[in-house]
Amino acid sequence: MAGYDEKMGRNEIIKEYRKLGKRNYRKKSGKIILEGYHLLEEALKAGIELETILFTDEFQQKAVNRELLACARKSGSIKVSSQKFKEIAQTESPQGVGAIARLPRPAAVPAFENCHFILILDGLQDPGNLGTIIRTAAGAGIDGIFLLPGTVDPYNPKALRASMGGIFHLPVLQIDTVESCCAFLAARNLQLIAADPRGEIPYYSVDFARPCAVVIGNENRGVQKRLLKQADIRAYIPLEGKIDALNAAVAASIFIFEYRRCQHFSC
């Protein structure tokens, strides 16, 4: 495996790894960090450009871990102590491996042409929720995800880990305004379905045979009023207990798999 980038010293790379936990620095540098075995494995499968891998001696003791490092042999590498890795890691229980990678090329509008089901996330703040939704959406094979302003960065380290690499296998597009989002949907005759606890019909009564976009709102305020007014349908998830709303990731999963069920069983 190659050594670290000679243009950037060892200490500078370690400092950069730490800095990449911040969104502004990720945006400025065009880089992200990928932490943990599975995330690195998925990144390599997807052809993500790894710049430098940091790993501990403990990590490379296992044969399967050495195989992963061998797959990334074209990247630079730095062995660090377990203590140092804990200091710079973005996880509470780090696995002893992480990488600095180039930010993947963002999805573009053409990736969403001829789509049948899009998920729109409106101001989600919890990176764990976002990552879980991306993982679910990638697993279900939907057409992609729109992120409206105010939504957490999908390349936040926690969001990346929660996505389990799903971000590398699904088009995710950040949309500048609600208006441009609605114009995109209208131009393609996609029905807009707002997930709303005070909605008009239950989610299982939605006609998912029609191309559509489902919007999941912010964890606290729900879907913003402008989108609720634009929505063709406001659909709710019936609840019989004392809780009046579900976690955003759970709600998204219910809509996603109801769509998939209808595709398979001709609802």
Side-chain angles (χ1 to χ4, degrees), residues 3-31:
Y4 60 84
D5 187 346
E6 293 180 358
K7 294 181 181 179
M8 182 181 288
R10 174 191 176 90
N11 290 338
E12 284 71 22
I13 291 175
I14 292 173
K15 289 178 182 178
E16 181 173 56
Y17 188 96
R18 195 196 303 266
K19 289 179 182 179
L20 286 167
K22 303 294 184 182
R23 182 172 190 164
N24 287 343
Y25 191 79
R26 290 193 297 273
K27 185 176 181 180
K28 176 183 177 181
S29 66
K31 301 177 185 179

PDB file of all heavy atoms in Angstrom, residues 3-31:
ATOM      1  N   GLY A   3       2.267   5.032   0.690  1.00  0.00           N
ATOM      2  CA  GLY A   3       2.318   5.856   1.884  1.00  0.00           C
ATOM      3  C   GLY A   3       1.422   7.069   1.736  1.00  0.00           C
ATOM      4  O   GLY A   3       0.761   7.258   0.722  1.00  0.00           O
ATOM      5  N   TYR A   4       1.407   7.920   2.759  1.00  0.00           N
ATOM      6  CA  TYR A   4       0.547   9.099   2.702  1.00  0.00           C
ATOM      7  C   TYR A   4       1.044  10.089   1.662  1.00  0.00           C
ATOM      8  O   TYR A   4       2.182  10.031   1.215  1.00  0.00           O
ATOM      9  CB  TYR A   4       0.431   9.749   4.081  1.00  0.00           C
ATOM     10  CG  TYR A   4       1.735  10.209   4.674  1.00  0.00           C
ATOM     11  CD1 TYR A   4       2.275  11.448   4.345  1.00  0.00           C
ATOM     12  CD2 TYR A   4       2.424   9.403   5.575  1.00  0.00           C
ATOM     13  CE1 TYR A   4       3.463  11.877   4.877  1.00  0.00           C
ATOM     14  CE2 TYR A   4       3.631   9.832   6.119  1.00  0.00           C
ATOM     15  CZ  TYR A   4       4.138  11.070   5.776  1.00  0.00           C
ATOM     16  OH  TYR A   4       5.327  11.496   6.314  1.00  0.00           O
ATOM     17  N   ASP A   5       0.152  11.009   1.300  1.00  0.00           N
ATOM     18  CA  ASP A   5       0.449  12.013   0.280  1.00  0.00           C
ATOM     19  C   ASP A   5       1.670  12.832   0.688  1.00  0.00           C
ATOM     20  O   ASP A   5       1.678  13.489   1.724  1.00  0.00           O
ATOM     21  CB  ASP A   5      -0.773  12.931   0.119  1.00  0.00           C
ATOM     22  CG  ASP A   5      -0.627  13.897  -1.036  1.00  0.00           C
ATOM     23  OD1 ASP A   5       0.505  14.055  -1.546  1.00  0.00           O
ATOM     24  OD2 ASP A   5      -1.641  14.489  -1.431  1.00  0.00           O
ATOM     25  N   GLU A   6       2.709  12.807  -0.139  1.00  0.00           N
ATOM     26  CA  GLU A   6       3.950  13.493   0.196  1.00  0.00           C
ATOM     27  C   GLU A   6       3.780  15.000   0.213  1.00  0.00           C
ATOM     28  O   GLU A   6       4.568  15.720   0.821  1.00  0.00           O
ATOM     29  CB  GLU A   6       5.037  13.102  -0.793  1.00  0.00           C
ATOM     30  CG  GLU A   6       5.453  11.633  -0.688  1.00  0.00           C
ATOM     31  CD  GLU A   6       6.540  11.277  -1.683  1.00  0.00           C
ATOM     32  OE1 GLU A   6       6.923  12.177  -2.460  1.00  0.00           O
ATOM     33  OE2 GLU A   6       7.008  10.125  -1.669  1.00  0.00           O
ATOM     34  N   LYS A   7       2.760  15.519  -0.469  1.00  0.00           N
ATOM     35  CA  LYS A   7       2.526  16.955  -0.499  1.00  0.00           C
ATOM     36  C   LYS A   7       1.908  17.436   0.815  1.00  0.00           C
ATOM     37  O   LYS A   7       1.853  18.622   1.077  1.00  0.00           O
ATOM     38  CB  LYS A   7       1.618  17.323  -1.682  1.00  0.00           C
ATOM     39  CG  LYS A   7       2.258  17.082  -3.041  1.00  0.00           C
ATOM     40  CD  LYS A   7       1.318  17.499  -4.156  1.00  0.00           C
ATOM     41  CE  LYS A   7       1.951  17.245  -5.528  1.00  0.00           C
ATOM     42  NZ  LYS A   7       1.031  17.628  -6.636  1.00  0.00           N
ATOM     43  N   MET A   8       1.373  16.518   1.591  1.00  0.00           N
ATOM     44  CA  MET A   8       0.767  16.881   2.857  1.00  0.00           C
ATOM     45  C   MET A   8       1.359  15.972   3.935  1.00  0.00           C
ATOM     46  O   MET A   8       1.288  14.758   3.839  1.00  0.00           O
ATOM     47  CB  MET A   8      -0.754  16.705   2.799  1.00  0.00           C
ATOM     48  CG  MET A   8      -1.483  17.113   4.075  1.00  0.00           C
ATOM     49  SD  MET A   8      -3.276  16.856   3.980  1.00  0.00           S
ATOM     50  CE  MET A   8      -3.728  18.159   2.851  1.00  0.00           C
ATOM     51  N   GLY A   9       1.964  16.548   4.945  1.00  0.00           N
ATOM     52  CA  GLY A   9       2.602  15.752   5.983  1.00  0.00           C
ATOM     53  C   GLY A   9       1.609  14.943   6.797  1.00  0.00           C
ATOM     54  O   GLY A   9       0.409  15.218   6.799  1.00  0.00           O
ATOM     55  N   ARG A  10       2.137  13.985   7.506  1.00  0.00           N
ATOM     56  CA  ARG A  10       1.321  13.089   8.332  1.00  0.00           C
ATOM     57  C   ARG A  10       0.426  13.863   9.309  1.00  0.00           C
ATOM     58  O   ARG A  10      -0.782  13.618   9.401  1.00  0.00           O
ATOM     59  CB  ARG A  10       2.264  12.148   9.080  1.00  0.00           C
ATOM     60  CG  ARG A  10       1.593  11.245  10.087  1.00  0.00           C
ATOM     61  CD  ARG A  10       2.650  10.554  10.943  1.00  0.00           C
ATOM     62  NE  ARG A  10       2.013   9.738  11.982  1.00  0.00           N
ATOM     63  CZ  ARG A  10       1.696   8.469  11.810  1.00  0.00           C
ATOM     64  NH1 ARG A  10       1.932   7.869  10.667  1.00  0.00           N
ATOM     65  NH2 ARG A  10       1.120   7.791  12.801  1.00  0.00           N
ATOM     66  N   ASN A  11       1.017  14.819  10.033  1.00  0.00           N
ATOM     67  CA  ASN A  11       0.247  15.567  11.024  1.00  0.00           C
ATOM     68  C   ASN A  11      -0.852  16.403  10.382  1.00  0.00           C
ATOM     69  O   ASN A  11      -1.949  16.543  10.935  1.00  0.00           O
ATOM     70  CB  ASN A  11       1.170  16.465  11.847  1.00  0.00           C
ATOM     71  CG  ASN A  11       2.066  15.665  12.768  1.00  0.00           C
ATOM     72  OD1 ASN A  11       1.770  14.521  13.115  1.00  0.00           O
ATOM     73  ND2 ASN A  11       3.190  16.259  13.164  1.00  0.00           N
ATOM     74  N   GLU A  12      -0.551  16.952   9.201  1.00  0.00           N
ATOM     75  CA  GLU A  12      -1.555  17.758   8.508  1.00  0.00           C
ATOM     76  C   GLU A  12      -2.750  16.896   8.078  1.00  0.00           C
ATOM     77  O   GLU A  12      -3.904  17.336   8.120  1.00  0.00           O
ATOM     78  CB  GLU A  12      -0.935  18.440   7.282  1.00  0.00           C
ATOM     79  CG  GLU A  12      -0.048  19.634   7.592  1.00  0.00           C
ATOM     80  CD  GLU A  12       1.265  19.230   8.235  1.00  0.00           C
ATOM     81  OE1 GLU A  12       1.664  18.065   8.069  1.00  0.00           O
ATOM     82  OE2 GLU A  12       1.888  20.082   8.901  1.00  0.00           O
ATOM     83  N   ILE A  13      -2.477  15.674   7.645  1.00  0.00           N
ATOM     84  CA  ILE A  13      -3.552  14.770   7.238  1.00  0.00           C
ATOM     85  C   ILE A  13      -4.423  14.401   8.432  1.00  0.00           C
ATOM     86  O   ILE A  13      -5.656  14.373   8.344  1.00  0.00           O
ATOM     87  CB  ILE A  13      -2.975  13.505   6.569  1.00  0.00           C
ATOM     88  CG1 ILE A  13      -2.371  13.869   5.220  1.00  0.00           C
ATOM     89  CG2 ILE A  13      -4.058  12.441   6.388  1.00  0.00           C
ATOM     90  CD1 ILE A  13      -1.665  12.720   4.521  1.00  0.00           C
ATOM     91  N   ILE A  14      -3.787  14.141   9.558  1.00  0.00           N
ATOM     92  CA  ILE A  14      -4.548  13.806  10.767  1.00  0.00           C
ATOM     93  C   ILE A  14      -5.413  14.992  11.195  1.00  0.00           C
ATOM     94  O   ILE A  14      -6.576  14.822  11.576  1.00  0.00           O
ATOM     95  CB  ILE A  14      -3.582  13.376  11.896  1.00  0.00           C
ATOM     96  CG1 ILE A  14      -2.937  12.035  11.535  1.00  0.00           C
ATOM     97  CG2 ILE A  14      -4.325  13.278  13.229  1.00  0.00           C
ATOM     98  CD1 ILE A  14      -1.849  11.590  12.499  1.00  0.00           C
ATOM     99  N   LYS A  15      -4.848  16.203  11.096  1.00  0.00           N
ATOM    100  CA  LYS A  15      -5.631  17.401  11.423  1.00  0.00           C
ATOM    101  C   LYS A  15      -6.806  17.563  10.465  1.00  0.00           C
ATOM    102  O   LYS A  15      -7.911  17.924  10.868  1.00  0.00           O
ATOM    103  CB  LYS A  15      -4.734  18.643  11.367  1.00  0.00           C
ATOM    104  CG  LYS A  15      -3.732  18.745  12.502  1.00  0.00           C
ATOM    105  CD  LYS A  15      -2.852  19.989  12.336  1.00  0.00           C
ATOM    106  CE  LYS A  15      -1.805  20.074  13.433  1.00  0.00           C
ATOM    107  NZ  LYS A  15      -0.925  21.264  13.246  1.00  0.00           N
ATOM    108  N   GLU A  16      -6.554  17.294   9.175  1.00  0.00           N
ATOM    109  CA  GLU A  16      -7.628  17.430   8.202  1.00  0.00           C
ATOM    110  C   GLU A  16      -8.738  16.422   8.466  1.00  0.00           C
ATOM    111  O   GLU A  16      -9.922  16.748   8.344  1.00  0.00           O
ATOM    112  CB  GLU A  16      -7.090  17.258   6.778  1.00  0.00           C
ATOM    113  CG  GLU A  16      -8.197  17.419   5.734  1.00  0.00           C
ATOM    114  CD  GLU A  16      -7.688  17.418   4.316  1.00  0.00           C
ATOM    115  OE1 GLU A  16      -7.016  16.444   3.923  1.00  0.00           O
ATOM    116  OE2 GLU A  16      -7.973  18.396   3.585  1.00  0.00           O
ATOM    117  N   TYR A  17      -8.371  15.221   8.833  1.00  0.00           N
ATOM    118  CA  TYR A  17      -9.370  14.194   9.147  1.00  0.00           C
ATOM    119  C   TYR A  17     -10.322  14.712  10.221  1.00  0.00           C
ATOM    120  O   TYR A  17     -11.538  14.558  10.118  1.00  0.00           O
ATOM    121  CB  TYR A  17      -8.668  12.923   9.624  1.00  0.00           C
ATOM    122  CG  TYR A  17      -9.572  11.734   9.784  1.00  0.00           C
ATOM    123  CD1 TYR A  17      -9.701  10.788   8.774  1.00  0.00           C
ATOM    124  CD2 TYR A  17     -10.305  11.538  10.949  1.00  0.00           C
ATOM    125  CE1 TYR A  17     -10.522   9.691   8.914  1.00  0.00           C
ATOM    126  CE2 TYR A  17     -11.137  10.443  11.108  1.00  0.00           C
ATOM    127  CZ  TYR A  17     -11.242   9.525  10.091  1.00  0.00           C
ATOM    128  OH  TYR A  17     -12.069   8.437  10.247  1.00  0.00           O
ATOM    129  N   ARG A  18      -9.754  15.332  11.239  1.00  0.00           N
ATOM    130  CA  ARG A  18     -10.573  15.867  12.322  1.00  0.00           C
ATOM    131  C   ARG A  18     -11.480  17.007  11.812  1.00  0.00           C
ATOM    132  O   ARG A  18     -12.656  17.084  12.159  1.00  0.00           O
ATOM    133  CB  ARG A  18      -9.677  16.381  13.457  1.00  0.00           C
ATOM    134  CG  ARG A  18     -10.413  16.631  14.771  1.00  0.00           C
ATOM    135  CD  ARG A  18      -9.549  17.483  15.692  1.00  0.00           C
ATOM    136  NE  ARG A  18      -8.251  16.879  15.938  1.00  0.00           N
ATOM    137  CZ  ARG A  18      -7.978  16.098  16.983  1.00  0.00           C
ATOM    138  NH1 ARG A  18      -8.913  15.808  17.851  1.00  0.00           N
ATOM    139  NH2 ARG A  18      -6.757  15.615  17.130  1.00  0.00           N
ATOM    140  N   LYS A  19     -10.900  17.884  10.987  1.00  0.00           N
ATOM    141  CA  LYS A  19     -11.661  19.034  10.471  1.00  0.00           C
ATOM    142  C   LYS A  19     -12.850  18.614   9.610  1.00  0.00           C
ATOM    143  O   LYS A  19     -13.852  19.317   9.530  1.00  0.00           O
ATOM    144  CB  LYS A  19     -10.742  19.945   9.642  1.00  0.00           C
ATOM    145  CG  LYS A  19      -9.718  20.728  10.435  1.00  0.00           C
ATOM    146  CD  LYS A  19      -8.875  21.569   9.492  1.00  0.00           C
ATOM    147  CE  LYS A  19      -7.799  22.348  10.217  1.00  0.00           C
ATOM    148  NZ  LYS A  19      -6.972  23.137   9.263  1.00  0.00           N
ATOM    149  N   LEU A  20     -12.725  17.472   8.938  1.00  0.00           N
ATOM    150  CA  LEU A  20     -13.772  17.043   8.023  1.00  0.00           C
ATOM    151  C   LEU A  20     -15.041  16.597   8.727  1.00  0.00           C
ATOM    152  O   LEU A  20     -16.032  16.246   8.091  1.00  0.00           O
ATOM    153  CB  LEU A  20     -13.251  15.929   7.109  1.00  0.00           C
ATOM    154  CG  LEU A  20     -12.299  16.411   6.016  1.00  0.00           C
ATOM    155  CD1 LEU A  20     -11.586  15.250   5.346  1.00  0.00           C
ATOM    156  CD2 LEU A  20     -13.052  17.243   4.981  1.00  0.00           C
ATOM    157  N   GLY A  21     -15.026  16.649  10.054  1.00  0.00           N
ATOM    158  CA  GLY A  21     -16.267  16.434  10.795  1.00  0.00           C
ATOM    159  C   GLY A  21     -17.195  17.627  10.684  1.00  0.00           C
ATOM    160  O   GLY A  21     -18.382  17.529  11.013  1.00  0.00           O
ATOM    161  N   LYS A  22     -16.682  18.764  10.191  1.00  0.00           N
ATOM    162  CA  LYS A  22     -17.482  19.990  10.065  1.00  0.00           C
ATOM    163  C   LYS A  22     -17.957  20.195   8.630  1.00  0.00           C
ATOM    164  O   LYS A  22     -17.199  20.063   7.676  1.00  0.00           O
ATOM    165  CB  LYS A  22     -16.643  21.209  10.483  1.00  0.00           C
ATOM    166  CG  LYS A  22     -16.091  21.117  11.902  1.00  0.00           C
ATOM    167  CD  LYS A  22     -17.201  21.143  12.942  1.00  0.00           C
ATOM    168  CE  LYS A  22     -16.638  21.150  14.355  1.00  0.00           C
ATOM    169  NZ  LYS A  22     -17.708  21.130  15.380  1.00  0.00           N
ATOM    170  N   ARG A  23     -19.228  20.541   8.495  1.00  0.00           N
ATOM    171  CA  ARG A  23     -19.839  20.695   7.169  1.00  0.00           C
ATOM    172  C   ARG A  23     -19.136  21.756   6.333  1.00  0.00           C
ATOM    173  O   ARG A  23     -18.889  21.544   5.137  1.00  0.00           O
ATOM    174  CB  ARG A  23     -21.323  21.057   7.307  1.00  0.00           C
ATOM    175  CG  ARG A  23     -22.045  21.181   5.976  1.00  0.00           C
ATOM    176  CD  ARG A  23     -23.535  21.355   6.159  1.00  0.00           C
ATOM    177  NE  ARG A  23     -24.237  21.238   4.883  1.00  0.00           N
ATOM    178  CZ  ARG A  23     -25.547  21.045   4.777  1.00  0.00           C
ATOM    179  NH1 ARG A  23     -26.299  20.942   5.863  1.00  0.00           N
ATOM    180  NH2 ARG A  23     -26.103  20.949   3.595  1.00  0.00           N
ATOM    181  N   ASN A  24     -18.819  22.895   6.931  1.00  0.00           N
ATOM    182  CA  ASN A  24     -18.194  23.978   6.169  1.00  0.00           C
ATOM    183  C   ASN A  24     -16.854  23.548   5.583  1.00  0.00           C
ATOM    184  O   ASN A  24     -16.518  23.899   4.448  1.00  0.00           O
ATOM    185  CB  ASN A  24     -18.002  25.215   7.061  1.00  0.00           C
ATOM    186  CG  ASN A  24     -19.306  25.927   7.357  1.00  0.00           C
ATOM    187  OD1 ASN A  24     -20.306  25.711   6.658  1.00  0.00           O
ATOM    188  ND2 ASN A  24     -19.321  26.761   8.376  1.00  0.00           N
ATOM    189  N   TYR A  25     -16.094  22.776   6.362  1.00  0.00           N
ATOM    190  CA  TYR A  25     -14.790  22.335   5.855  1.00  0.00           C
ATOM    191  C   TYR A  25     -14.963  21.292   4.755  1.00  0.00           C
ATOM    192  O   TYR A  25     -14.189  21.268   3.788  1.00  0.00           O
ATOM    193  CB  TYR A  25     -13.919  21.787   6.978  1.00  0.00           C
ATOM    194  CG  TYR A  25     -12.494  21.581   6.536  1.00  0.00           C
ATOM    195  CD1 TYR A  25     -11.607  22.641   6.452  1.00  0.00           C
ATOM    196  CD2 TYR A  25     -12.043  20.317   6.142  1.00  0.00           C
ATOM    197  CE1 TYR A  25     -10.297  22.464   6.011  1.00  0.00           C
ATOM    198  CE2 TYR A  25     -10.741  20.128   5.706  1.00  0.00           C
ATOM    199  CZ  TYR A  25      -9.876  21.205   5.637  1.00  0.00           C
ATOM    200  OH  TYR A  25      -8.594  21.018   5.178  1.00  0.00           O
ATOM    201  N   ARG A  26     -15.978  20.423   4.888  1.00  0.00           N
ATOM    202  CA  ARG A  26     -16.235  19.442   3.826  1.00  0.00           C
ATOM    203  C   ARG A  26     -16.567  20.161   2.527  1.00  0.00           C
ATOM    204  O   ARG A  26     -16.088  19.794   1.445  1.00  0.00           O
ATOM    205  CB  ARG A  26     -17.385  18.508   4.224  1.00  0.00           C
ATOM    206  CG  ARG A  26     -17.041  17.549   5.341  1.00  0.00           C
ATOM    207  CD  ARG A  26     -18.086  16.448   5.466  1.00  0.00           C
ATOM    208  NE  ARG A  26     -19.414  16.922   5.829  1.00  0.00           N
ATOM    209  CZ  ARG A  26     -19.823  17.103   7.077  1.00  0.00           C
ATOM    210  NH1 ARG A  26     -19.004  16.893   8.085  1.00  0.00           N
ATOM    211  NH2 ARG A  26     -21.049  17.518   7.331  1.00  0.00           N
ATOM    212  N   LYS A  27     -17.384  21.187   2.623  1.00  0.00           N
ATOM    213  CA  LYS A  27     -17.782  21.938   1.438  1.00  0.00           C
ATOM    214  C   LYS A  27     -16.593  22.672   0.830  1.00  0.00           C
ATOM    215  O   LYS A  27     -16.403  22.697  -0.391  1.00  0.00           O
ATOM    216  CB  LYS A  27     -18.890  22.928   1.804  1.00  0.00           C
ATOM    217  CG  LYS A  27     -19.462  23.682   0.620  1.00  0.00           C
ATOM    218  CD  LYS A  27     -20.622  24.570   1.058  1.00  0.00           C
ATOM    219  CE  LYS A  27     -21.215  25.319  -0.135  1.00  0.00           C
ATOM    220  NZ  LYS A  27     -22.353  26.194   0.281  1.00  0.00           N
ATOM    221  N   LYS A  28     -15.779  23.275   1.684  1.00  0.00           N
ATOM    222  CA  LYS A  28     -14.621  24.042   1.225  1.00  0.00           C
ATOM    223  C   LYS A  28     -13.576  23.147   0.563  1.00  0.00           C
ATOM    224  O   LYS A  28     -13.011  23.496  -0.486  1.00  0.00           O
ATOM    225  CB  LYS A  28     -14.007  24.772   2.418  1.00  0.00           C
ATOM    226  CG  LYS A  28     -12.724  25.534   2.091  1.00  0.00           C
ATOM    227  CD  LYS A  28     -12.152  26.167   3.359  1.00  0.00           C
ATOM    228  CE  LYS A  28     -10.835  26.859   3.072  1.00  0.00           C
ATOM    229  NZ  LYS A  28     -10.251  27.456   4.314  1.00  0.00           N
ATOM    230  N   SER A  29     -13.325  21.987   1.162  1.00  0.00           N
ATOM    231  CA  SER A  29     -12.253  21.111   0.682  1.00  0.00           C
ATOM    232  C   SER A  29     -12.696  20.133  -0.401  1.00  0.00           C
ATOM    233  O   SER A  29     -11.866  19.594  -1.134  1.00  0.00           O
ATOM    234  CB  SER A  29     -11.680  20.316   1.854  1.00  0.00           C
ATOM    235  OG  SER A  29     -12.651  19.416   2.375  1.00  0.00           O
ATOM    236  N   GLY A  30     -14.011  19.895  -0.491  1.00  0.00           N
ATOM    237  CA  GLY A  30     -14.499  18.903  -1.450  1.00  0.00           C
ATOM    238  C   GLY A  30     -14.149  17.488  -1.037  1.00  0.00           C
ATOM    239  O   GLY A  30     -14.004  16.600  -1.876  1.00  0.00           O
ATOM    240  N   LYS A  31     -14.021  17.277   0.287  1.00  0.00           N
ATOM    241  CA  LYS A  31     -13.663  15.963   0.806  1.00  0.00           C
ATOM    242  C   LYS A  31     -14.620  15.546   1.914  1.00  0.00           C
ATOM    243  O   LYS A  31     -15.310  16.376   2.511  1.00  0.00           O
ATOM    244  CB  LYS A  31     -12.226  15.975   1.349  1.00  0.00           C
ATOM    245  CG  LYS A  31     -11.159  16.344   0.339  1.00  0.00           C
ATOM    246  CD  LYS A  31      -9.790  16.402   0.992  1.00  0.00           C
ATOM    247  CE  LYS A  31      -8.724  16.884   0.019  1.00  0.00           C
ATOM    248  NZ  LYS A  31      -7.381  16.955   0.673  1.00  0.00           N
TER     249      LYS A  31
END
